[in-house]
Amino acid sequence: MSDKIVRYSDEDLQEFKEIIEKKIARAKEDLALLESSYKNNADNGTNDTSPSFKSFDEGSDTMSKEANVQLAIRQEKFIRDLKNALQRIENKTYGVCRVTGKLIQKERLKLVPHATLSIEAKRKQ
């Protein structure tokens, strides 16, 4: 068995860090939009419409707010996962599959930068 350390080079880690930081910035912008859409209590002027339309409108409003809350929760988890990936970059453990111990393919990490499993390990789940 070799003592060779399996990890990405510092240059690779820096490249991944830049990708992740951009994704975090974008995800935070998206999260802010989602939060403003479900926290927005602005009256959209349904006072002059008939009561049946108003209740339908309010029901629809509630459903879209709930959907946006769910999206915001997923977005928060995504940001947390990306921040965890940055931590792994700092620890120089980024890109190592937590099941096989092998390097996760660069292509996969560029698409899913918070991945902790190689395709091989993911398929076995």
Side-chain angles (χ1 to χ4, degrees):
M1 190 162 140
S2 75
D3 293 333
K4 184 177 176 279
I5 298 170
V6 178
R7 74 171 188 91
Y8 279 107
S9 71
D10 291 346
E11 294 79 25
D12 286 336
L13 292 177
Q14 184 58 39
E15 183 185 345
F16 288 127
K17 183 177 181 179
E18 289 167 13
I19 291 170
I20 291 169
E21 286 173 342
K22 283 179 188 163
K23 284 197 180 273
I24 288 174
R26 175 76 194 268
K28 284 182 175 178
E29 287 173 16
D30 292 348
L31 179 60
L33 282 172
L34 285 167
E35 286 177 340
S36 71
S37 72
Y38 71 75
K39 289 178 179 173
N40 178 10
N41 292 326
D43 183 14
N44 291 334
T46 55
N47 295 336
D48 60 348
T49 58
S50 77
S52 62
F53 283 120
K54 187 173 179 180
S55 65
F56 175 77
D57 203 40
E58 286 170 354
S60 172
D61 217 27
T62 301
M63 280 180 63
S64 67
K65 276 186 183 178
E66 287 173 5
N68 284 339
V69 168
Q70 287 303 313
L71 287 171
I73 290 168
R74 285 183 59 196
Q75 197 68 358
E76 286 169 347
K77 182 188 180 309
F78 179 55
I79 291 168
R80 193 170 53 247
D81 290 346
L82 289 170
K83 286 182 176 178
N84 289 339
L86 283 179
Q87 189 60 53
R88 290 192 301 278
I89 286 174
E90 292 302 312
N91 299 340
K92 301 191 187 299
T93 58
Y94 179 79
V96 179
C97 176
R98 61 185 163 87
V99 173
T100 65
K102 296 175 185 172
L103 284 182
I104 299 169
Q105 288 182 325
K106 273 188 181 182
E107 294 72 30
R108 173 163 168 70
L109 290 172
K110 285 180 180 177
L111 292 173
V112 188
H114 57 287
T116 59
L117 293 174
S118 62
I119 295 289
E120 177 188 347
K122 190 89 175 150
R123 285 192 181 125
K124 290 178 182 173
Q125 279 187 331

